[in-house]
């Protein structure tokens, strides 16, 4: 119920961004599957692996940028925690 109230309080731009973001994410996923299957079918395994890695990187940076920033902050703390104390 609380999420419904938050959704109702969101501005129209936020609603549109969430809706289009999910739709574009679905289309991106469909395109990645199609291209990957095409490369796999043509037995272009090196290109398939490169494209799969590229698609994973792009999907994380575009669809979950908060994950990248939190990983960067956690990695920095882990590497330099002795110097920060």
């Amino acid at each position: 119920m609380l999420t419904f109230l938050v959704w109702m309080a969101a501005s129209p731009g936020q609603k549109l961004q969430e809706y289009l973001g999910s739709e574009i994410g679905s289309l991106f996923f469909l395109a990645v599957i199609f291209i990957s299957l095409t490369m796999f079918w043509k037995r272009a395994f090196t290109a398939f692996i490169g494209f799969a890695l590229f698609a994973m990187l792009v999907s994380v940076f575009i669809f979950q940028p908060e994950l990248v920033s939190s990983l960067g902050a956690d990695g920095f703390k882990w590497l330099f925690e002795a110097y920060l104390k």
Side-chain angles (χ1 to χ4, degrees):
M1 182 71 177
L2 181 63
T3 57
F4 178 72
L5 292 175
V6 170
W7 184 78
M8 290 297 291
S11 69
Q14 289 174 335
K15 292 179 193 176
L16 185 63
Q17 179 187 12
E18 290 172 6
Y19 177 74
L20 287 179
S22 66
E23 291 298 317
I24 291 173
S26 299
L27 290 174
F28 177 77
F29 186 61
L30 184 65
V32 165
I33 289 173
F34 178 73
I35 293 170
S36 296
L37 287 176
T38 303
M39 287 181 180
F40 195 72
W41 185 262
K42 290 182 178 181
R43 296 185 181 190
F45 297 117
T46 306
F48 167 72
I49 291 171
F51 176 74
L53 291 174
F54 174 74
M56 283 190 279
L57 217 104
V58 167
S59 66
V60 168
F61 277 110
I62 292 190
F63 297 112
Q64 293 182 342
E66 62 275 353
L67 177 69
V68 176
S69 64
S70 68
L71 284 176
D74 292 342
F76 182 82
K77 287 178 187 175
W78 178 72
L79 284 173
F80 299 109
E81 70 182 332
Y83 296 112
L84 294 174
K85 290 182 180 180

